[in-house]
Amino acid sequence: MLLNIADLIPLIHTSPRQIVLVLTGGSRAVAELLEVPGGSRTVLEVIVPYSDGPMIDLLGSRPERFCCDRTARAMAVAAFARAVRHGAAETQAAGVACTASLATDRSKRGPHRIHVALQTASHTWRWSLELEKEARRRHEEEQIAACMILNAVAEACSVSGRLDLPLRDGEAVESNHIAAPQEWQDLFLGRRETQCIVYTAAADLDQKSEMSAGYMGQALLSGAFNPLHVGHRGMADIAQDILGVPVASELSIHNVDKPTLDYLEIEFRLRQFPLDHEVWLTRAATFDDKSRLFPGATFIVGTDTLQRIADPRYYGNDTATMLAAIERIAGRGCRFLVFGRTIDSHFVQLSDLDMPDLLRRLCTEIPPEMFRMDVSSTALRKKL
């Protein structure tokens, strides 16, 4: 059902939903929401991270692209977290985000794009639109972005009506969303720490219970898997041959220097794995956390990862904190099977790293003549 703005906004304000908006386009949506009585019930906060620094602060790291679907979703996750911190109940909190590349006073090389995302405790939505280049003035493109944002807010508030978008022939909004299984929601909200995912031949999720002592001593390939590539598979195969045990994968939805994964991102990364492959989905951002969840495990890592484990910068620049974390990893019976990796154009082996003796004693190196594959997820993403 199509509505005009005057009818839509009052319906939004009757909802108990409480929203944080993070916008780099479509700011007129804020005025529309606040010019109607009741806006203070709906809008908790508005953030406009219009330059690199504020966006990096919001996300916790520099996004590879500032205007893309994935960044919009990361912004929405950050907005959701802020809504909860501001006192919204998890079931009523929502994060709405927009990142856009629109007409300016100079010629743009790339397309004009609008990406809008919505994150709640149970769902992730995203909408993307590429506009015909140089077909509109800036304020006209901004108005389309504002309407997309208000439609996302309407979705969050379970309002059935939507604003019409004045699109040209050939323009169309691409969208998709996912309703997360309860187990994913519990992970996302911090109610549980682990979940095991195994795909069946029917490509359905077989969600196993949280880890028990029966999983002590297994081998785990931990990574972001963004994307999963032949190097990951090769490392797992070599590790399985050497260790004589099956190798499972571990994907954390939290990382030290990356945004929290939304539900669409979780689904994408999990569906890369082969049928019947065991994947542990966790909230374990560090190997100190992973060793607590998987005592006795052998972690399969590259030297780039091992380098970060021994870097005080990841421990608040506190060497004593770093050493204490390594001692806890050792005390839990965990070890590392280490593969050489190319770092800053140089192939780096275990012997090249400067690290505490205790951490080195936990490591077994795979020599490059046994396995070396100079491929990285970062390089693969740059080719997309």
Side-chain angles (χ1 to χ4, degrees), residues 127-356:
W127 300 267
S128 295
L129 172 63
E130 183 172 325
L131 299 168
E132 183 179 333
K133 198 169 182 179
E134 299 178 356
R136 299 176 178 87
R137 296 180 180 180
R138 171 64 179 239
H139 76 274
E140 294 173 314
E141 294 187 344
E142 283 279 359
Q143 188 60 39
I144 293 174
C147 288
M148 290 178 65
I149 293 165
L150 291 173
N151 284 342
V153 172
E155 180 68 60
C157 295
S158 300
V159 175
S160 58
R162 296 292 182 269
L163 301 176
D164 190 26
L165 302 180
L167 302 183
R168 300 173 66 87
D169 290 343
E171 295 177 337
V173 175
E174 297 179 358
S175 67
N176 61 323
H177 91 282
I178 182 172
Q182 187 61 53
E183 290 84 358
W184 294 14
Q185 296 179 43
D186 291 343
L187 272 173
F188 184 79
L189 298 172
R191 297 170 181 165
R192 63 187 296 163
E193 294 184 306
T194 66
Q195 179 197 6
C196 186
I197 306 291
V198 180
Y199 282 107
T200 67
D204 293 326
L205 291 177
D206 173 19
Q207 295 161 0
K208 294 184 178 179
S209 61
E210 294 190 53
M211 188 190 67
S212 66
Y215 285 88
M216 299 251 321
Q218 73 175 23
L220 285 171
L221 176 62
S222 298
F225 307 112
N226 182 30
L228 178 71
H229 55 69
V230 65
H232 294 129
R233 292 189 287 269
M235 290 167 66
D237 289 343
I238 292 291
Q240 183 164 316
D241 289 343
I242 290 175
L243 299 173
V245 295
V247 175
S249 299
E250 184 262 340
L251 169 66
S252 175
I253 67 169
H254 290 306
N255 287 278
V256 174
D257 52 3
K258 298 174 184 176
T260 298
L261 302 186
D262 63 84
Y263 298 135
L264 284 171
E265 196 65 31
I266 291 170
E267 181 187 48
F268 163 73
R269 299 196 192 184
L270 288 176
R271 289 200 180 278
Q272 300 176 101
F273 290 94
L275 295 177
D276 300 323
H277 180 71
E278 187 174 278
V279 184
W280 285 95
L281 190 63
T282 77
R283 292 176 56 87
T286 68
F287 277 89
D288 187 7
D289 295 332
K290 297 179 199 302
S291 68
R292 178 174 54 82
L293 296 177
F294 300 98
T298 297
F299 294 108
I300 301 153
V301 299
T303 48
D304 53 340
T305 298
L306 195 67
Q307 192 174 52
R308 290 192 290 272
I309 295 172
D311 190 338
R313 289 182 301 172
Y314 291 91
Y315 304 86
N317 289 312
D318 189 329
T319 300
T321 300
M322 175 198 72
L323 293 173
I326 294 172
E327 288 176 358
R328 287 192 293 272
I329 293 170
R332 293 164 183 151
C334 295
R335 296 190 59 81
F336 297 93
L337 191 64
V338 185
F339 290 75
R341 293 297 303 273
T342 298
I343 305 174
D344 296 330
S345 302
H346 299 286
F347 186 75
V348 178
Q349 299 178 238
L350 176 62
S351 57
D352 299 321
L353 296 180
D354 181 18
M355 66 177 64

